[in-house]
Amino acid sequence: GSQVSIRGVDPALNRVEINGMSVLSANGGSARSNDFREFASELIKTVDVIKGSTADLTEGGIGGTVSIELRKPLELDGPLLSATLQGEQMSLDGGWEPRGNITAATQLFDGRFGIMANITYDHVLTRQDYLRNTEWVRLGDWDDSPEKTIESLNPTYSAVTIEAACDALPAADRAPCRQQWWDYSPRIPRYGIWMRDDKRTSPQLTLQFKITDRQDVWVEGTRAERDQFLNDHNFGTEF
């Protein structure tokens, strides 16, 4: 839930904008590979994913553009006060982790001035388990199967149907002939346990003033702080 891939294109090759302004990443990756966990979902009005380009879009998204529009206080029907409290538990950790949000908004001066404030706190623990290897290699015949693992393109070797018959060939041809029976093995197989401890605090303040019925101005400030602890365990072996 951190990035968006459009048409299979790497998230770093997309463009993200909020209220028409480009967003840069603060997660240590590519500048355009934005982390959407930095936004409070309570403030989001719409999310549009454009798979291509249009004349009114700022260029820069190879895969596409993710356009996010945030709520404005004068767009609400009236004063708003919202509070949410959530909790999640990872059974491998044993504890409950909270997520809380408070959003408040109101309109003043006969609806010509609006103010909206929001604060979000989030604590998430995740665990990822991996079983992987670097590549597949053929080092020997492990199962002694009479069937070939691969068929050699060399007609001299492919004509041999029994592995033991390779010994009848000249010394230089014996090993390449036997390789037809070699099995695929994982190179540097390893098991990984990756733990992620992520805390986020994000306050936001929006001020909006209606100049006329068809024109308004607004100013918005957001401060997002994240504290991440990454704990990786990798166990590997080599044949």
Side-chain angles (χ1 to χ4, degrees):
S2 61
Q3 297 177 343
V4 173
S5 176
I6 302 176
R7 297 185 300 174
V9 176
D10 188 275
L13 300 179
N14 298 323
R15 181 176 173 273
V16 179
E17 67 177 29
I18 298 180
N19 296 334
M21 300 294 293
S22 298
V23 179
L24 301 181
S25 172
N27 63 358
S30 170
R32 291 183 294 183
S33 177
N34 191 79
D35 191 337
F36 290 95
R37 291 174 297 182
E38 297 176 358
F39 308 127
S41 59
E42 289 81 2
L43 295 178
I44 296 177
K45 181 174 65 174
T46 60
V47 178
D48 292 322
V49 178
I50 299 95
K51 300 178 181 180
S53 60
T54 60
D56 60 341
L57 281 179
T58 303
E59 62 181 358
I62 296 178
T65 298
V66 180
S67 177
I68 300 175
E69 291 288 334
L70 301 182
R71 288 179 174 181
K72 299 294 186 299
L74 295 183
E75 296 173 346
L76 304 175
D77 294 333
L80 169 68
L81 178 60
S82 170
T84 60
L85 180 62
Q86 304 173 28
E88 69 174 24
Q89 181 194 35
M90 182 173 67
S91 60
L92 297 175
D93 175 73
W96 286 87
E97 306 304 332
R99 182 186 189 277
N101 171 268
I102 298 177
T103 302
T106 188
Q107 299 91 16
L108 304 172
F109 308 116
D110 294 328
R112 304 195 70 85
F113 178 75
I115 180 171
M116 182 167 62
N118 169 88
I119 184 168
T120 301
Y121 174 79
D122 202 332
H123 187 195
V124 178
L125 290 177
T126 57
R127 166 173 165 165
Q128 305 168 48
D129 290 72
Y130 295 92
L131 185 61
R132 54 212 166 100
N133 63 283
T134 303
E135 60 182 340
W136 291 93
V137 294
R138 296 170 53 248
L139 304 176
D141 185 8
W142 308 118
D143 58 5
D144 293 324
S145 173
E147 290 82 13
K148 295 180 180 180
T149 301
I150 63 170
E151 189 77 25
S152 175
L153 297 179
N154 189 319
T156 302
Y157 307 146
S158 61
V160 180
T161 59
I162 301 175
E163 184 178 3
C166 293
D167 294 337
L169 298 176
D173 295 328
R174 294 171 188 171
C177 176
R178 286 185 172 274
Q179 288 179 7
Q180 298 178 102
W181 282 266
W182 286 10
D183 302 309
Y184 283 97
S185 303
R187 174 170 169 78
I188 316 181
R190 54 197 182 276
Y191 175 61
I193 302 176
W194 292 11
M195 306 290 292
R196 299 291 183 265
D197 188 338
D198 193 323
K199 298 179 182 179
R200 175 174 64 91
T201 304
S202 176
Q204 185 168 5
L205 178 65
T206 304
L207 305 176
Q208 186 179 19
F209 180 70
K210 180 188 293 186
I211 302 174
T212 67
D213 291 339
R214 303 181 62 180
Q215 186 179 32
D216 65 85
V217 295
W218 53 271
V219 60
E220 186 175 75
T222 304
R223 178 178 178 84
E225 295 185 3
R226 292 185 62 188
D227 184 7
Q228 284 188 311
F229 179 75
L230 285 60
N231 189 354
D232 297 356
H233 296 265
N234 297 285
F235 308 93
T237 183
E238 173 67 288
F239 290 120

